[in-house]
Amino acid sequence: MKRFFQSVERDQSFKKMTIKPPNDAAAGAAAAAPEPPVDGDDAWREPSKFMSWNANSLLLRLKKNREELMGLVQRLDPDIIAIQEVRIPAAGRKGEPKNQGDIKDDTNVAREDKQIVTRAFSALPLSNYRVWWSLSENKYGGTALLVKKRFNPVSITFSLDAGTNKHETDGRVVLAEFQSFSLLNTYVPNNGWKDDEQGFQRRQKWDQRMLDFVSRSSKKPLIWCGDLNVSHEEIDVSHPQFFQNARLPGYMPPNSEDLGQPGFTAAERQRFSKLLKLGDLVDSYRWLHKEQEFDCGFTWSGHPVGKYHGKRMRIDYFLLSRQLLPHLTSSDIHGHGIEMEGVTDTCRILWERSLSYYNGAFTSLLFSRQA
């Protein structure tokens, strides 16, 4: 979904935390023993600071806004960075199977692009992280997960399906298991405007797979983040009636619950409610922010010219297993629409230099230290 957003710095003070591991933590520790501590007992703690970002072309950000991006990561200093829509093609020649865990480098242009990414990830602060890619076969979609080197995931997989390490089509999933929780980074398919294989049907199949995923028994709590491409409640959009009645000119969906802006149809919102209930998941942002915040409470903003001017949606989330709520300290959105005036923060440059303001906002999650 097109985004027209600037990033805005939030006055945030982060602390470290320790989440109490479940009873079977010893078995997990045996499967992936942690590295020796490099920074006192902090090195033994679980990640507590999380950042999610729909980059809408990570490569373009690194080409045009590398210093601004590095500065933002340096300031927020997250333990984990979940990225969606990296828009970097997977390795492999045309017509051959692709390696979705590596970047394409079989042409001069691809090699130059890969060098740009490699150099950026070899410099501070990104050199503090290990990165796992799940890339699409072309310059579309794709996700990445960056984890500080002091933390050791028990496992990293790339599918919603159990018992496989195959990547999702378009690289839409990175699933990381830690000693005391699992983290799911997803780029959810857009619902589209029509009842076809690339629209309603594709999204319905995805939502059913997500229901299957959260219904599978797991002893570890879940953090699910990313671009979930849905605005759950009316409070999550700026103009509910506008979005409810939006439709593609000349097309009327067969079912009335599919009418509306992709991400705000009744069908999508009902399925999302079912997901939250079945998985006992809580929207961390809405848990802490009960009232609508028009200036900084949305993560998608319509084109600054035309009927979508001033129209906004919140489609990016950090969802938590309910048992993690006692540890939740903050859940924030770092950005707002370009039509707003008076933004003086230097993070604004990250968006102003990008063509068409085709971007989304950063979201962050923080857990508190546990005694």
Side-chain angles (χ1 to χ4, degrees), residues 107-153:
T107 67
N108 289 336
V109 172
R111 280 190 288 272
E112 291 176 3
D113 287 346
K114 186 172 182 178
Q115 286 180 351
I116 291 172
V117 177
T118 301
R119 291 192 189 109
F121 280 78
S122 299
L124 290 171
L126 294 182
S127 61
N128 290 327
Y129 298 83
R130 285 177 289 178
V131 59
W132 284 268
W133 303 99
S134 186
L135 304 174
S136 176
E137 293 190 4
N138 49 43
K139 279 193 174 183
Y140 171 79
T143 51
L145 191 73
L146 284 65
V147 180
K148 276 192 175 178
K149 293 177 180 178
R150 68 171 60 183
F151 303 111
N152 289 275

Coordinates of all heavy atoms in Angstrom, one line a residue, residues 107-153:
T107 N 24.3 -9.8 -12.1 CA 24.5 -8.8 -13.2 C 25.3 -7.6 -12.6 O 25.4 -7.5 -11.4 CB 23.1 -8.2 -13.7 OG1 22.5 -7.5 -12.6 CG2 22.2 -9.4 -14.1
N108 N 25.8 -6.7 -13.5 CA 26.6 -5.6 -13.0 C 25.7 -4.7 -12.1 O 26.2 -4.3 -11.0 CB 27.1 -4.8 -14.2 CG 28.2 -5.5 -14.9 OD1 28.9 -6.4 -14.4 ND2 28.4 -5.2 -16.2
V109 N 24.5 -4.4 -12.5 CA 23.6 -3.6 -11.6 C 23.3 -4.3 -10.3 O 23.4 -3.6 -9.2 CB 22.3 -3.3 -12.4 CG1 21.3 -2.6 -11.4 CG2 22.6 -2.4 -13.6
A110 N 23.1 -5.6 -10.3 CA 22.8 -6.3 -9.1 C 24.0 -6.3 -8.2 O 23.8 -6.2 -6.9 CB 22.3 -7.7 -9.4
R111 N 25.2 -6.5 -8.7 CA 26.4 -6.5 -7.9 C 26.6 -5.1 -7.2 O 27.0 -5.1 -6.1 CB 27.6 -6.9 -8.7 CG 27.7 -8.4 -9.0 CD 29.0 -8.8 -9.6 NE 29.1 -8.4 -11.0 CZ 28.6 -9.2 -12.0 NH1 28.1 -10.4 -11.7 NH2 28.7 -8.8 -13.2
E112 N 26.4 -4.1 -8.0 CA 26.5 -2.7 -7.4 C 25.5 -2.5 -6.3 O 25.9 -2.0 -5.2 CB 26.3 -1.7 -8.5 CG 27.4 -1.6 -9.6 CD 27.1 -0.7 -10.7 OE1 26.1 0.0 -10.6 OE2 28.0 -0.6 -11.6
D113 N 24.3 -3.0 -6.5 CA 23.2 -2.8 -5.5 C 23.6 -3.6 -4.2 O 23.5 -3.1 -3.1 CB 21.9 -3.3 -6.0 CG 21.3 -2.3 -7.0 OD1 21.8 -1.2 -7.1 OD2 20.3 -2.7 -7.7
K114 N 24.1 -4.8 -4.4 CA 24.5 -5.7 -3.3 C 25.6 -5.0 -2.5 O 25.7 -5.1 -1.3 CB 24.9 -7.1 -3.8 CG 25.1 -8.0 -2.6 CD 25.3 -9.5 -3.1 CE 25.5 -10.4 -1.9 NZ 25.7 -11.8 -2.4
Q115 N 26.6 -4.4 -3.2 CA 27.7 -3.7 -2.6 C 27.2 -2.6 -1.7 O 27.7 -2.4 -0.6 CB 28.7 -3.2 -3.6 CG 29.5 -4.3 -4.2 CD 30.5 -3.8 -5.2 OE1 30.5 -2.6 -5.6 NE2 31.4 -4.6 -5.7
I116 N 26.2 -1.9 -2.1 CA 25.6 -0.8 -1.3 C 25.1 -1.3 0.0 O 25.3 -0.8 1.1 CB 24.5 -0.1 -2.1 CG1 25.2 0.7 -3.3 CG2 23.8 0.9 -1.2 CD1 24.1 1.3 -4.3
V117 N 24.3 -2.4 -0.1 CA 23.8 -3.0 1.1 C 24.9 -3.6 2.0 O 24.9 -3.4 3.2 CB 22.8 -4.2 0.7 CG1 22.2 -4.8 1.9 CG2 21.6 -3.6 -0.1
T118 N 25.8 -4.3 1.4 CA 26.9 -4.9 2.2 C 27.7 -3.8 2.9 O 28.1 -4.0 4.1 CB 27.8 -5.7 1.3 OG1 27.1 -6.7 0.6 CG2 29.0 -6.4 2.1
R119 N 28.0 -2.7 2.2 CA 28.8 -1.7 2.9 C 28.0 -1.1 4.1 O 28.6 -0.8 5.1 CB 29.1 -0.6 1.9 CG 30.2 -1.0 0.8 CD 30.6 0.2 0.0 NE 31.4 -0.2 -1.1 CZ 31.0 0.0 -2.4 NH1 29.9 0.5 -2.6 NH2 31.8 -0.4 -3.4
A120 N 26.7 -0.9 3.9 CA 25.9 -0.3 4.9 C 25.9 -1.2 6.1 O 26.0 -0.7 7.3 CB 24.5 0.0 4.4
F121 N 25.8 -2.5 5.9 CA 25.7 -3.4 7.0 C 27.0 -3.8 7.6 O 27.1 -4.5 8.6 CB 24.9 -4.7 6.6 CG 23.4 -4.6 6.5 CD1 22.8 -3.9 5.5 CD2 22.7 -5.1 7.5 CE1 21.4 -3.8 5.4 CE2 21.3 -5.0 7.5 CZ 20.7 -4.3 6.5
S122 N 28.1 -3.2 7.0 CA 29.4 -3.4 7.6 C 29.9 -2.2 8.4 O 30.9 -2.2 9.0 CB 30.4 -3.6 6.4 OG 30.1 -4.8 5.7
A123 N 29.0 -1.2 8.4 CA 29.3 0.0 9.2 C 28.4 0.2 10.4 O 27.3 -0.3 10.4 CB 29.2 1.3 8.3
L124 N 28.9 0.8 11.4 CA 28.1 1.1 12.6 C 26.9 2.0 12.2 O 27.1 2.9 11.4 CB 28.9 1.7 13.7 CG 29.9 0.8 14.3 CD1 30.9 1.6 15.3 CD2 29.2 -0.3 15.1
P125 N 25.8 1.9 12.8 CA 25.4 0.9 13.9 C 24.9 -0.5 13.3 O 24.7 -1.4 14.1 CB 24.3 1.6 14.6 CG 23.6 2.4 13.6 CD 24.6 2.8 12.6
L126 N 24.7 -0.6 12.0 CA 24.2 -1.8 11.5 C 25.1 -3.0 11.6 O 24.7 -4.2 11.6 CB 23.7 -1.6 10.0 CG 22.6 -0.7 9.8 CD1 22.2 -0.6 8.3 CD2 21.4 -1.0 10.6
S127 N 26.4 -2.7 11.7 CA 27.3 -3.8 11.9 C 27.2 -4.5 13.3 O 27.8 -5.6 13.5 CB 28.8 -3.3 11.7 OG 29.1 -2.3 12.7
N128 N 26.4 -3.9 14.1 CA 26.1 -4.6 15.4 C 25.1 -5.7 15.3 O 24.8 -6.4 16.3 CB 25.6 -3.5 16.4 CG 26.7 -2.6 16.9 OD1 27.8 -2.9 17.0 ND2 26.3 -1.3 17.1
Y129 N 24.5 -5.9 14.1 CA 23.4 -6.8 13.9 C 23.8 -7.9 13.0 O 24.6 -7.7 12.0 CB 22.2 -6.1 13.3 CG 21.6 -5.0 14.2 CD1 22.2 -3.7 14.2 CD2 20.5 -5.2 15.1 CE1 21.7 -2.7 15.0 CE2 20.0 -4.2 15.9 CZ 20.6 -2.9 15.8 OH 20.1 -1.9 16.6
R130 N 23.2 -9.1 13.2 CA 23.1 -10.1 12.2 C 21.8 -10.0 11.4 O 20.8 -9.6 12.0 CB 23.2 -11.5 12.8 CG 24.6 -11.9 13.3 CD 24.6 -13.2 14.0 NE 23.9 -13.2 15.3 CZ 23.7 -14.2 16.1 NH1 24.1 -15.4 15.7 NH2 23.1 -14.1 17.2
V131 N 21.8 -10.3 10.1 CA 20.6 -10.1 9.3 C 20.2 -11.4 8.7 O 21.0 -12.2 8.2 CB 20.8 -9.0 8.2 CG1 22.0 -9.3 7.3 CG2 19.6 -8.7 7.5
W132 N 18.9 -11.6 8.7 CA 18.3 -12.7 8.0 C 17.3 -12.2 6.9 O 16.5 -11.4 7.2 CB 17.5 -13.7 8.9 CG 18.4 -14.5 9.8 CD1 18.8 -15.8 9.5 CD2 19.0 -14.2 11.0 NE1 19.6 -16.3 10.5 CE2 19.7 -15.3 11.5 CE3 18.9 -13.1 11.9 CZ2 20.4 -15.3 12.7 CZ3 19.6 -13.1 13.1 CH2 20.3 -14.2 13.5
W133 N 17.5 -12.6 5.7 CA 16.7 -12.1 4.6 C 15.7 -13.2 4.2 O 15.9 -14.4 4.2 CB 17.6 -11.8 3.3 CG 18.7 -10.9 3.5 CD1 20.0 -11.1 3.7 CD2 18.6 -9.4 3.5 NE1 20.7 -10.0 3.8 CE2 19.9 -8.9 3.7 CE3 17.5 -8.5 3.3 CZ2 20.2 -7.6 3.7 CZ3 17.8 -7.2 3.4 CH2 19.1 -6.7 3.6
S134 N 14.5 -12.7 3.7 CA 13.5 -13.5 3.0 C 13.0 -12.6 1.9 O 12.2 -11.8 2.0 CB 12.4 -13.9 3.9 OG 11.5 -14.9 3.2
L135 N 13.6 -12.9 0.7 CA 13.5 -12.0 -0.4 C 12.5 -12.6 -1.5 O 12.4 -13.8 -1.6 CB 14.8 -11.7 -1.1 CG 15.9 -11.1 -0.1 CD1 17.2 -11.0 -0.8 CD2 15.4 -9.7 0.5
S136 N 12.0 -11.7 -2.3 CA 11.2 -12.1 -3.4 C 12.0 -12.4 -4.6 O 13.2 -12.0 -4.7 CB 10.1 -11.0 -3.7 OG 9.4 -11.3 -4.9
E137 N 11.4 -13.0 -5.6 CA 12.2 -13.3 -6.9 C 12.4 -12.0 -7.7 O 13.3 -12.0 -8.5 CB 11.4 -14.3 -7.7 CG 11.4 -15.7 -7.0 CD 10.8 -16.8 -8.0 OE1 10.6 -16.4 -9.1 OE2 10.7 -17.9 -7.5
N138 N 11.7 -11.0 -7.4 CA 11.9 -9.7 -8.1 C 11.9 -8.6 -7.1 O 11.9 -8.8 -5.9 CB 10.8 -9.5 -9.2 CG 9.4 -9.8 -8.7 OD1 9.1 -9.3 -7.6 ND2 8.6 -10.4 -9.4
K139 N 12.0 -7.4 -7.6 CA 12.0 -6.2 -6.7 C 10.6 -5.9 -6.2 O 10.0 -4.9 -6.6 CB 12.6 -5.0 -7.5 CG 14.1 -5.0 -7.5 CD 14.6 -3.6 -8.0 CE 16.1 -3.6 -7.9 NZ 16.7 -2.2 -8.2
Y140 N 10.1 -6.8 -5.4 CA 8.8 -6.6 -4.8 C 8.8 -7.3 -3.4 O 9.5 -8.4 -3.3 CB 7.7 -7.2 -5.6 CG 6.4 -7.3 -5.0 CD1 5.6 -6.1 -4.9 CD2 5.9 -8.5 -4.4 CE1 4.3 -6.2 -4.3 CE2 4.7 -8.5 -3.8 CZ 3.9 -7.4 -3.7 OH 2.7 -7.4 -3.1
G141 N 8.1 -6.7 -2.5 CA 8.0 -7.4 -1.2 C 9.3 -7.6 -0.5 O 10.3 -6.8 -0.5
G142 N 9.4 -8.8 0.2 CA 10.6 -9.1 0.9 C 10.6 -8.6 2.3 O 10.1 -7.5 2.6
T143 N 11.2 -9.4 3.2 CA 11.3 -9.0 4.6 C 12.8 -9.2 5.1 O 13.5 -10.0 4.5 CB 10.4 -9.7 5.5 OG1 10.5 -11.1 5.3 CG2 8.9 -9.3 5.3
A144 N 13.1 -8.6 6.2 CA 14.4 -8.8 6.8 C 14.3 -8.7 8.3 O 13.4 -8.0 8.8 CB 15.5 -7.8 6.3
L145 N 15.2 -9.4 9.0 CA 15.2 -9.3 10.5 C 16.6 -9.1 10.9 O 17.5 -9.9 10.6 CB 14.6 -10.6 11.1 CG 14.4 -10.5 12.6 CD1 13.2 -9.6 12.9 CD2 14.2 -11.9 13.2
L146 N 16.9 -8.0 11.7 CA 18.2 -7.7 12.2 C 18.1 -7.9 13.7 O 17.3 -7.4 14.4 CB 18.5 -6.3 11.9 CG 19.0 -5.9 10.5 CD1 17.8 -6.1 9.5 CD2 19.5 -4.5 10.4
V147 N 19.1 -8.7 14.2 CA 19.2 -9.0 15.6 C 20.6 -8.7 16.1 O 21.6 -9.1 15.5 CB 18.9 -10.5 15.9 CG1 19.0 -10.8 17.4 CG2 17.5 -10.9 15.3
K148 N 20.7 -7.9 17.2 CA 22.0 -7.6 17.7 C 22.8 -8.9 18.0 O 22.2 -9.9 18.5 CB 21.8 -6.8 19.0 CG 21.6 -5.3 18.8 CD 21.8 -4.5 20.1 CE 21.7 -3.0 19.8 NZ 21.8 -2.2 21.0
K149 N 24.0 -8.8 17.8 CA 24.9 -10.0 17.8 C 25.0 -10.6 19.2 O 25.3 -11.8 19.3 CB 26.3 -9.7 17.3 CG 26.2 -9.4 15.8 CD 27.6 -9.0 15.2 CE 27.6 -8.7 13.8 NZ 28.9 -8.2 13.2
R150 N 24.7 -9.9 20.2 CA 24.8 -10.4 21.6 C 23.6 -11.4 21.9 O 23.7 -12.1 22.8 CB 24.7 -9.3 22.6 CG 23.4 -8.5 22.7 CD 23.4 -7.6 23.8 NE 24.4 -6.6 23.7 CZ 24.6 -5.6 24.7 NH1 23.9 -5.6 25.7 NH2 25.6 -4.8 24.5
F151 N 22.6 -11.3 21.1 CA 21.4 -12.2 21.3 C 21.5 -13.4 20.3 O 21.8 -13.2 19.1 CB 20.1 -11.5 21.1 CG 20.0 -10.3 22.0 CD1 20.0 -9.0 21.5 CD2 19.9 -10.4 23.4 CE1 19.9 -7.9 22.4 CE2 19.8 -9.4 24.2 CZ 19.8 -8.1 23.7
N152 N 21.1 -14.5 20.8 CA 21.1 -15.7 19.9 C 19.8 -16.4 19.8 O 19.3 -17.0 20.7 CB 22.1 -16.7 20.6 CG 23.5 -16.3 20.5 OD1 24.2 -16.5 19.5 ND2 24.0 -15.6 21.6
P153 N 19.2 -16.2 18.6 CA 17.9 -16.9 18.4 C 18.1 -18.4 18.5 O 19.1 -19.0 18.0 CB 17.5 -16.5 17.0 CG 18.3 -15.2 16.7 CD 19.5 -15.4 17.5

